[in-house]
Amino acid sequence: MHLEIIVPLLMGCALLWWIGHGMGWTKRLIVVAITLVVIVAILLVERAVQ
């Protein structure tokens, strides 16, 4: 994996961890799943454009 992929993923995970302190595990897992889907969609769109 390239740094351009790893760094945003790590930053996103850190942000989700920080925001997720007030959430239960179910809501936290839903937010993580949605975030991962959005990241994968963006990566697919970027690769399709190139």
Side-chain angles (χ1 to χ4, degrees):
M1 295 186 111
H2 301 289
L3 281 178
E4 62 189 17
I5 296 172
I6 294 173
V7 172
L9 284 176
L10 288 175
M11 291 176 64
C13 289
L15 183 62
L16 287 173
W17 177 78
W18 184 69
I19 291 172
H21 279 301
M23 294 183 188
W25 280 104
T26 306
K27 287 184 182 179
R28 199 178 297 185
L29 288 175
I30 291 170
V31 170
V32 169
I34 292 171
T35 304
L36 288 176
V37 168
V38 169
I39 290 171
V40 169
I42 290 171
L43 289 175
L44 290 174
V45 168
E46 284 183 356
R47 288 183 184 215
V49 171
Q50 291 179 352

